[in-house]
Amino acid sequence: MGKSNIRWKHIKKTIQICILFCIIILLPVQSFALINVTGGYVGINDYELCSYGNRAGVNYINGLNEILKSAAANPGINYSRSYSYTNSNATKTKVQNAGRVTLFAFAGHGINCGSTANALHFNRSADGTAKKHSSETATSINLRTTETSFKHKYVVLYSCKQLMDDGYTTKQQNILNMMNGTRLIMGFASTMYLDSREGTYFGSMLGEEMISQAYLKAVKRYQPQRGAGQTTYARIVGYKSAYGDTLDNSYSYAPSYASSKNSFDVLTTLPILCNGKKV
């Protein structure tokens, strides 16, 4: 009798396992599609005749591109680079005519152009010729806020002063008016410290953090290296509902600022007290 009970329990357990296995097999399989992400970049290291000096802009965009290619760092995305314009091949015309991408980044100099605009600063004129010292503010080598129309979903302006409005309403509106489909622009409302490692660190967090938080964490790590006692202001502007966006989720392109002004604003400004210490 004892052996019979043991045998029956064994048969019953086997049947239960088979039923459970059949249920698992018959359940619909949920597939997790990767989000397609494209990158487009402009970076300048060699400023040739520029009195502002060289910067590691190419290194920044290369680091960002390389880490985004890593499936380990960004498991939710299918990433590809669409274009990269560097040094003498980087001009304002290239930025103005750049094809739409998910993530666009410029790394290099930026200048304040007064009460209405700021500008991305290039080492070559729009036609590709080398500039001269006397032309630091010339239209041919500066892409002003008022000339810019970004159609990319997310934009990083890793340069000085691009999101600085100096308290001028017109200047703030011109900054927001650059957004024509863009959900977030991340940059600075002051002079900043260009450390190319920040691009790699920023990109390494995009698989697990909100885009805005990945940017701010990278900024807090590397910007304190600027001169002791100075304050760097990191700023994010854009579509109000986009602050929590992540790169591994699909979102529609935003409307243009011009068509929906109440939907856009300065989303955050982060002051960073600098200590001049290298990291």
Side-chain angles (χ1 to χ4, degrees), residues 135-156:
S135 62
E136 296 291 15
T137 60
T139 300
S140 63
I141 49 93
N142 288 292
L143 178 57
R144 286 174 169 76
T145 306
T146 48
E147 303 174 281
T148 307
S149 178
F150 289 124
K151 52 195 173 185
H152 320 294
K153 192 172 287 187
Y154 305 105
V155 172
V156 176

Side-chain angles (χ1 to χ4, degrees), residues 1-247:
M1 188 71 176
K3 291 183 179 179
S4 178
N5 285 339
I6 293 172
R7 188 179 300 111
W8 170 244
K9 287 181 180 179
H10 178 72
I11 293 171
K12 187 176 180 181
K13 186 175 181 180
T14 302
I15 292 172
Q16 288 173 337
I17 292 172
C18 290
I19 292 172
L20 180 61
F21 180 75
C22 290
I23 291 173
I24 293 172
I25 291 295
L26 293 173
L27 284 174
V29 177
Q30 183 178 5
S31 61
F32 296 91
L34 295 177
I35 301 300
N36 290 323
V37 173
T38 54
Y41 308 108
V42 178
I44 304 171
N45 278 9
D46 185 0
Y47 269 90
E48 300 180 72
L49 302 175
C50 179
S51 62
Y52 298 136
N54 294 331
R55 291 295 184 271
V58 177
N59 303 68
Y60 177 91
I61 62 170
N62 284 347
L64 178 56
N65 174 63
E66 288 302 317
I67 196 66
L68 285 174
K69 287 163 57 177
S70 169
N74 297 284
I77 69 171
N78 177 36
Y79 170 78
S80 62
R81 184 177 68 182
S82 295
Y83 50 82
S84 180
Y85 303 123
T86 62
N87 294 322
S88 62
N89 197 35
T91 67
K92 62 180 287 184
T93 304
K94 292 285 179 62
V95 175
Q96 289 175 309
N97 297 329
R100 171 176 271 186
V101 291
T102 313
L103 177 65
F104 174 87
F106 171 92
H109 283 304
I111 62 174
N112 184 344
C113 297
S115 62
T116 59
N118 304 308
L120 301 177
H121 187 66
F122 297 86
N123 68 339
R124 295 271 172 158
S125 297
D127 62 1
T129 59
K131 72 183 193 68
K132 294 181 171 51
H133 286 297
S134 60
S135 62
E136 296 291 15
T137 60
T139 300
S140 63
I141 49 93
N142 288 292
L143 178 57
R144 286 174 169 76
T145 306
T146 48
E147 303 174 281
T148 307
S149 178
F150 289 124
K151 52 195 173 185
H152 320 294
K153 192 172 287 187
Y154 305 105
V155 172
V156 176
L157 300 179
Y158 195 63
S159 59
C160 295
K161 306 176 181 178
Q162 290 312 293
L163 302 182
M164 174 191 287
D165 58 40
D166 299 307
Y168 294 108
T169 301
T170 299
K171 192 169 188 177
Q172 183 186 93
Q173 290 177 341
N174 286 337
I175 289 169
L176 293 173
N177 203 43
M178 293 190 294
M179 307 179 77
N180 287 276
T182 305
R183 294 178 66 85
L184 297 172
I185 297 181
M186 293 154 278
F188 296 89
S190 67
T191 300
M192 48 79 74
Y193 186 90
L194 201 161
D195 187 321
S196 62
R197 295 174 296 172
E198 194 169 319
T200 302
Y201 190 56
F202 167 53
S204 72
M205 293 182 285
L206 288 175
E208 58 186 15
E209 298 274 0
M210 294 187 303
I211 298 168
S212 58
Q213 294 309 298
Y215 178 76
L216 294 175
K217 283 187 177 182
V219 162
K220 285 190 284 189
R221 178 168 181 169
Y222 288 100
Q223 289 304 308
Q225 297 176 98
R226 193 176 160 216
Q230 301 183 76
T231 302
T232 293
Y233 292 91
R235 178 169 286 174
I236 300 175
V237 304
Y239 197 42
K240 292 177 182 178
S241 63
Y243 192 73
D245 283 7
T246 58
L247 201 60

